[in-house]
Amino acid sequence: MNKKALSERDICTKYITPALIQAGWNLQTQIREEFSLTDGRIIVRGHLHTRAKNKRADYVLFYKPNIPIAILEAKDNNHTVGDGMQQALGYAAMLDVPFVFSSNGDRLLFHNQIAADGVIERELEFADMPSPDTLWRRWSEHKGLTEDQANLISQDYYSDGSGKTPRYYQLLAINKTIEAIARGQNRILLVMATGTGKTFTAFQIIWRLWKSKTKKRILFLADRNILVDQTMTNDFKPFGSAMTKIKKRQADKSYEIYLCLYQAVTGNQEEKNIYKQFSSTFFDLIVIDECHRGSAAENSAWREILDYFSSAVQIGLTATPKETKTISNSYYFGDPIYTYSLRQGINDGFLAPYKVIRIDLDKDLSGFRPHKGMKDKYGQEIEDRIYTQRDFDRVLVLNQRADLVAAKITEYLKATNRFDKVIVFCENIDHAERMRQALANANSDLVAENHKYVTRITGDNKEGKAELDNFIFPESVYPVIATTSKLMTTGVDAKTCKLIVLDQRIQSMTEFKQIIGRGTRIDEDHGKVSFAIMDFKQATKLFADPDFDGDPVQVYEPGANDPVVPPELTEEEESQDQETEENDQFPPDNGGDYTDGDFPPPTLKYVVDNVKVSVASERVQYYDAEGKLITESLKDYTRHSLAKKYQSLDAFLRRWSAEEKKQVIINELAQEGVFFEALAAEVGKDYDPFDLICHVVWDEPPLTRRERAREVKKRDYFAKYGEKARRVLDALLDKYANEGIEAMEEPEILKIIPFTEMGTPMELVNVFGGVQGYQQALMELERAIYSA
C-alpha cells in the first residue's frame, strides 16, 4: 500500500482510529470524528446569505461523554507528523483541553500542556498512545483534585438518546461551573450572550449536581412567568415529577426542583414572604436567571431571598452583567467564571449578524421651541422653552414625529418583507399606543385584513400580553409588528424577529444589550439569518462603549449648528439617568409579570399636531468580518481590504482568470466583508463584482453587465457552435446581463426557464459533447465576457 497516495480520511480510518482503539479509547462514547466546533459566521449579501467555513476538529477525545480531554488533528502522509499541531492547538484552546495530538499516519506528535518534566512536545509511536484513564489521571493530579471532586466533575450529562451534544462554549460553561463548585466556590457568575442557550446550560449544571446527589434541593429563580413556564416545558422537562413551580404563595416541601418568579416570593409585608416558609438551609443550590435585574443591588427585594439562603451555592446567569457606581454583579458573585460574548456568537455562526440603520429626525437634533402663546391640540398653552429629544413622548408629543417613524418602518418592510416580525421599543405605554395607531394607519391595507398585524404588547394590556406567545411562535403569522416599552426587553425568545426599532432613549448599556438580544437568534427554517436595527434616538451610540462587544466607535452625528465634540450630560441629567437605572432594578409585584415601565413616566403635558418633522440624515452602518463598525466609506473600506489581499490589479486579474468559478472569489471577498450589493447601490449601476472591484479599488473604467454582454455578441462569439448550443449560450449570456455571474454559474440553471423550453438538462449538455464540453464552453464564455 502506497501511504503517500492515501487521503487524510484514509489515514484516519486505517492508522489513527485503530491506534486509539488499541490504546483503550471507546469508539462509541469517547472518540468523536469530524467534530464541529462552530457553524461558520453568516455572511449576508443583500437578500442572499452564505456561511464562512466552520471550525471542525478531526478528533475530539472524551474521557466521558461531554467531558473533552484531548484534540487530535490528522494530515495525509505528504505532510510531516507535526503539520496539524498549530491547528489542533487552536481547537484545544476553544475547548480548554490540555492534551493535543497531531499525526500523519506514521506516528504522533504529543503536546502536553501540563507536562511535569517541562517537555511539552514529544513524538510517540502509535503503540504508546495514552489511554483515557492515563490522561484523566494526569489532569486530575495537575488540578489537585480529590477522588470525590474528580467524580463530581466527571458526572454524566443528561442525554435524550439522540446523540446531541452541547455546543463547545456550553461545554466550557457547564464544566467550569461544576469544577468550581467541586472546589468549594459558592458564588458563581456566568455571562452568555442572549440566544446562546443559558437555560439549557443551567439545566445541565443542575442535572449533574442533582444526579450526583451533591445538591438535593434546587431553586431556579426567573423574572418572567413566560420564562418559568417555557423552562418547565422545554429544557427542564426531564426533571419530571421532581419539579414544581411555586405559585399562589404556597410552599410544598415535597419536591426537589423548584422554579419560581422573584415577585412570587417577595413582598413588602412579612406574610407575603413565602420563602421564609422554607428553612434557610432548605436549598443547596439557587440559580438566578437574568441576575443583572436586582440580585446585584444590596437594597433589592430580590437580594433578600439570596441573603436568606446564603448557605446555598448561588449561580447568576446573565447576558449583561450590571456594573454601575452603586450596583455590581461582580461584587456579589465575583468575576465571571466564563464569558461568551455577542461578538463570539456572531463570529462562530451561532448568532445572527446585523446592520444598523440610523435615521436622525430634525426636531430630535435641533429641538423644538413653541412660538409665543402656542397651544396644543387640547387648547393648553405650551410652556415657552426648548424641548429636546429627552422631552419627546414624555413631556411633549409631536404627532407628526410618530407618523414619520411609522412611515420609515413601513418603507423598510415594503422593501424587504411586510410579514417579517418587528419589535418597536417606545418610551412608555402611551408612546407605544400612539405608535400602534400610527403604524396601523401606515399599514391600513394589512390591518384591514387582520387587526392583529400591529399589536401593542405592554404589561398593562391583557389583550396585548395574550398575543405575546403568538408573536414569539414562528408558525404564527400575527402579530407582525409589536409596539412595546419595557415588557419585551428581556426573556422574550422571538427567534424570527428581523427588525428591532429603537424609538426609545436608552442610556443603560445593560438595557441596550438586552434589547439588541431580541434579534440575535437564528432560525434558518423560517429564513431568519440576520436582522436590522433601525435607530431613531441615537441609541446605537452605545456601540462606542468599551462595555459593548466591539471596539469603541464614535457614532455621534452633529447637526449643522451642533458642536463637533458630543456634548456631555449635565450633572442634573446624569443624576436623573442614574435614578432611572436604579429604579429599573425591581419591578412591582403584580401577579408575576412586569408592568410596562417599572416607574411611572412623567405626566404628558402637551400634544401637538401641526409641527412638521422631517428626516435630517439617514444612513446604513455596516460591520466588517471582525464584527467592527466600518467608520470609513464603503469605497475606502473595500479599497483597503483588497489592497491587503492583492498587491496590484494584475495580481487580481491573474486570480480572476485562473479561477474556474468566479463565484469562489466573490464568496471569499464577501466573507472578508466586501458588500457588493451596497457598493453597487453607492456606485449607482448594475456593475458586475469584477467591475466594481476594478473600478473602486484600481479606478479602472467599468462596464455594466449589459455592455459586456453586447461586446461578446458583437464579436460573433457563438459562430463556432451549432444552432442549439448557440441558443443555450445566448440564454446564459442574457442571464449574466440580467442577474450577474452568480446566476450564470448556478449548477441548477439548466432546470429553469428558458432552458427547460429547449430540452432536458442532459439533452442540453449533450449538444456540447457532454458535461466536460459544457463546462469548457461555459469557461470560454466567461473569458469572452471579461476580455472586454
Side-chain angles (χ1 to χ4, degrees):
M1 182 187 299
N2 180 8
K3 192 184 284 189
K4 297 290 185 187
L6 296 178
S7 68
E8 180 182 296
R9 191 82 324 247
D10 289 334
I11 293 293
C12 293
T13 303
K14 297 179 184 298
Y15 296 96
I16 298 175
T17 301
L20 289 170
I21 294 171
Q22 185 66 33
W25 295 87
N26 186 297
L27 183 61
Q28 303 302 318
T29 61
Q30 294 180 308
I31 301 173
R32 295 288 301 272
E33 296 188 56
E34 298 187 319
F35 186 87
S36 290
L37 294 165
T38 71
D39 280 357
R41 181 186 173 98
I42 293 175
I43 307 295
V44 180
R45 299 198 309 276
H47 300 301
L48 305 175
H49 76 278
T50 185
R51 280 190 182 268
K53 188 177 181 181
N54 68 335
K55 292 182 179 179
R56 185 176 64 184
D58 288 331
Y59 292 87
V60 176
L61 305 180
F62 292 83
Y63 174 63
K64 295 184 74 174
N66 294 311
I67 311 290
I69 195 167
I71 297 286
L72 194 158
E73 196 63 23
K75 296 295 178 185
D76 65 40
N77 201 245
N78 295 298
H79 291 79
T80 67
V81 66
D83 273 358
M85 180 53 72
Q86 292 196 140
Q87 185 179 355
L89 287 170
Y91 297 152
M94 291 178 69
L95 279 173
D96 196 24
V97 298
F99 306 115
V100 188
F101 299 88
S102 173
S103 179
N104 64 350
D106 289 338
R107 61 190 62 83
L108 298 158
L109 179 63
F110 177 38
H111 179 102
N112 181 358
Q113 192 68 39
I114 58 174
D117 59 4
V119 181
I120 289 181
E121 291 191 359
R122 66 185 78 205
E123 287 194 7
L124 302 175
E125 298 300 325
F126 280 130
D128 297 322
M129 173 75 197
S131 69
D133 288 336
T134 298
L135 293 184
W136 180 255
R137 185 177 64 254
R138 290 181 184 176
W139 184 85
S140 298
E141 289 172 354
H142 172 74
K143 291 280 189 176
L145 300 176
T146 66
E147 184 178 350
D148 287 343
Q149 288 173 332
N151 287 338
L152 172 57
I153 290 169
S154 61
Q155 170 66 39
D156 286 342
Y157 279 55
Y158 171 79
S159 174
D160 60 5
S162 67
K164 177 186 174 184
T165 186
R167 293 169 175 170
Y168 84 89
Y169 63 86
Q170 293 170 337
L171 287 176
L172 276 177
I174 296 163
N175 292 341
K176 283 178 176 290
T177 301
I178 297 295
E179 182 184 343
I181 292 172
R183 289 178 171 278
Q185 188 170 329
N186 59 9
R187 298 291 182 271
I188 295 166
L189 180 62
L190 279 176
V191 178
M192 297 171 65
T194 300
T196 56
K198 290 192 298 294
T199 309
F200 172 72
T201 300
F203 162 72
Q204 289 289 4
I205 291 168
I206 295 169
W207 177 270
R208 294 175 68 196
L209 293 169
W210 180 62
K211 291 297 284 186
S212 66
K213 301 190 184 304
T214 304
K215 304 298 176 188
K216 297 177 181 178
R217 288 190 289 259
I218 294 134
L219 176 63
F220 181 86
L221 284 170
D223 65 348
R224 297 284 170 89
N225 255 325
I226 189 171
L227 284 180
V228 173
D229 295 338
Q230 285 177 348
T231 298
M232 291 185 71
T233 56
N234 296 327
D235 289 322
F236 279 32
K237 187 177 181 180
F239 287 125
S241 60
M243 173 176 60
T244 189
K245 175 182 177 181
I246 298 176
K247 53 188 176 181
K248 296 181 180 178
R249 306 201 178 278
Q250 297 297 315
D252 186 338
K253 301 174 186 177
S254 62
Y255 293 90
E256 296 172 73
I257 311 294
Y258 294 78
L259 290 90
C260 184
L261 287 168
Y262 297 100
Q263 298 95 312
V265 291
T266 59
N268 295 325
Q269 300 172 25
E270 184 67 23
E271 62 268 18
K272 288 187 177 181
N273 291 331
I274 186 176
Y275 64 88
K276 292 189 177 178
Q277 296 179 36
F278 298 98
S279 72
S280 62
T281 58
F282 184 83
F283 293 110
D284 306 307
L285 173 68
I286 300 178
V287 178
I288 307 99
D289 194 23
E290 306 292 357
C291 70
H292 62 279
R293 298 192 63 88
S295 61
E298 289 188 16
N299 61 351
S300 165
W302 300 353
R303 260 290 283 280
E304 294 177 19
I305 308 172
L306 306 185
D307 290 340
Y308 183 76
F309 296 114
S310 60
S311 63
V313 170
Q314 296 176 9
I315 303 172
L317 305 175
T318 183
T320 52
K322 176 157 284 190
E323 301 294 333
T324 70
K325 293 176 184 176
T326 59
I327 301 168
S328 170
N329 284 117
S330 294
Y331 178 78
Y332 183 79
F333 289 104
D335 291 333
I337 197 167
Y338 181 68
T339 297
Y340 188 71
S341 68
L342 174 66
R343 172 182 291 203
Q344 287 173 285
I346 292 174
N347 285 342
D348 288 342
F350 298 127
L351 295 179
Y354 54 90
K355 66 179 178 182
V356 177
I357 303 164
R358 277 278 301 271
I359 301 176
D360 292 330
L361 305 182
D362 60 347
K363 296 299 184 292
D364 287 13
L365 295 179
S366 62
F368 162 71
R369 183 174 183 177
H371 57 77
K372 187 174 181 179
M374 183 177 180
K375 295 182 179 181
D376 75 351
K377 68 178 292 185
Y378 299 116
Q380 301 179 92
E381 185 170 331
I382 305 171
E383 181 186 350
D384 182 14
R385 67 177 179 87
I386 296 175
Y387 294 87
T388 65
Q389 188 187 74
R390 69 179 297 127
D391 298 311
F392 296 147
D393 298 304
R394 287 179 174 269
V395 175
L396 181 139
V397 172
L398 299 176
N399 278 334
Q400 289 194 27
R401 187 188 180 286
D403 293 340
L404 181 57
V405 170
K408 299 305 290 187
I409 296 170
T410 304
E411 178 186 333
Y412 179 86
L413 291 176
K414 285 181 176 179
T416 52
N417 182 350
R418 294 183 76 187
F419 284 90
D420 282 343
K421 299 279 185 175
V422 182
I423 305 177
V424 184
F425 288 95
C426 304
E427 292 287 358
N428 46 53
I429 292 172
D430 176 76
H431 184 202
E433 171 56 25
R434 285 184 288 100
M435 189 54 64
R436 183 198 65 78
Q437 296 170 23
L439 283 162
N441 289 331
N443 295 274
S444 57
D445 54 336
L446 295 182
V447 173
E449 294 177 12
N450 190 313
H451 71 276
K452 293 180 182 179
Y453 179 81
V454 184
T455 301
R456 171 165 64 96
I457 301 179
T458 52
D460 71 314
N461 184 269
K462 65 179 181 180
E463 291 82 10
K465 284 174 66 177
E467 292 299 326
L468 183 56
D469 283 350
N470 288 329
F471 182 81
I472 292 169
F473 186 49
E475 307 294 341
S476 179
V477 176
Y478 301 101
V480 175
I481 304 174
T483 66
T484 190
S485 174
K486 296 287 184 187
L487 184 65
M488 299 175 74
T489 56
T490 65
V492 176
D493 188 7
K495 291 175 69 175
T496 56
C497 179
K498 287 190 177 182
L499 179 62
I500 302 289
V501 178
L502 305 178
D503 199 23
Q504 181 184 110
R505 190 171 182 269
I506 303 169
Q507 299 296 299
S508 160
M509 176 60 70
T510 300
E511 186 174 13
F512 179 63
K513 284 186 177 181
Q514 288 288 343
I515 287 174
I516 298 306
R518 299 313 102 210
T520 55
R521 289 171 174 82
I522 294 170
D523 190 344
E524 293 187 78
D525 291 340
H526 295 89
K528 163 68 182 299
V529 293
S530 65
F531 69 105
I533 302 166
M534 184 176 286
D535 179 17
F536 291 94
K537 289 284 181 80
Q538 295 189 340
T540 50
K541 67 185 179 182
L542 289 168
F543 282 131
D545 194 304
D547 288 339
F548 200 78
D549 301 319
D551 295 331
V553 175
Q554 178 61 42
V555 294
Y556 169 66
E557 296 178 359
N561 300 317
D562 292 329
V564 175
V565 179
E568 298 290 333
L569 292 178
T570 65
E571 288 185 12
E572 179 185 355
E573 288 172 329
E574 285 191 24
S575 174
Q576 290 172 356
D577 285 337
Q578 181 63 44
E579 180 183 354
T580 295
E581 186 146 85
E582 290 173 3
N583 285 336
D584 186 48
Q585 297 312 301
F586 182 59
D589 179 2
N590 62 356
D593 253 325
Y594 295 156
T595 55
D596 215 32
D598 299 337
F599 52 94
T603 303
L604 289 172
K605 293 183 177 179
Y606 310 112
V607 179
V608 181
D609 273 338
N610 57 353
V611 172
K612 182 176 174 58
V613 180
S614 60
V615 173
S617 65
E618 182 172 352
R619 71 175 185 175
V620 178
Q621 295 176 308
Y622 294 90
Y623 292 80
D624 66 14
E626 299 291 320
K628 298 176 183 176
L629 186 65
I630 297 169
T631 54
E632 57 192 338
S633 74
L634 279 182
K635 289 182 181 180
D636 288 341
Y637 169 73
T638 304
R639 196 175 296 120
H640 295 154
S641 297
L642 268 291
K644 296 176 187 175
K645 191 172 182 68
Y646 299 104
Q647 292 183 341
S648 65
L649 173 60
D650 286 342
F652 174 71
L653 293 177
R654 283 195 299 272
R655 172 72 202 287
W656 188 269
S657 299
E659 188 63 59
E660 287 186 15
K661 289 210 165 196
K662 313 308 178 193
Q663 189 62 39
V664 172
I665 302 175
I666 294 169
N667 287 342
E668 282 179 7
L669 295 176
Q671 288 173 11
E672 292 175 19
V674 176
F675 301 88
F676 287 108
E677 188 168 300
L679 267 180
E682 195 169 298
V683 173
K685 289 201 175 181
D686 61 339
Y687 293 132
D688 183 282
F690 172 82
D691 281 283
L692 278 173
I693 295 299
C694 292
H695 175 59
V696 169
V697 180
W698 291 286
D699 204 27
E700 290 292 314
L703 294 174
T704 66
R705 294 195 303 266
R706 294 188 180 281
E707 287 170 338
R708 287 192 174 277
R710 277 200 299 270
E711 288 297 317
V712 173
K713 291 182 178 181
K714 277 183 192 176
R715 286 185 242 130
D716 200 19
Y717 169 76
F718 302 135
K720 62 181 178 179
Y721 293 99
E723 181 185 352
K724 195 165 188 178
R726 286 200 299 271
R727 287 174 58 207
V728 172
L729 292 171
D730 192 53
L732 284 169
L733 193 58
D734 286 342
K735 277 286 179 187
Y736 165 79
N738 292 324
E739 300 175 40
I741 194 70
E742 301 99 318
M744 200 175 90
E745 290 183 342
E746 170 60 47
E748 303 291 305
I749 193 168
L750 297 181
K751 295 181 180 179
I752 63 174
I753 295 174
F755 302 100
T756 51
E757 297 170 348
M758 304 178 196
T760 66
M762 187 56 68
E763 288 172 346
L764 299 183
V765 164
N766 285 338
V767 302
F768 295 92
V771 173
Q772 191 170 349
Y774 170 74
Q775 291 175 339
Q776 182 64 32
L778 191 61
M779 287 174 57
E780 290 177 0
L781 177 57
E782 289 187 357
R783 275 199 290 270
I785 289 171
Y786 292 112
S787 67

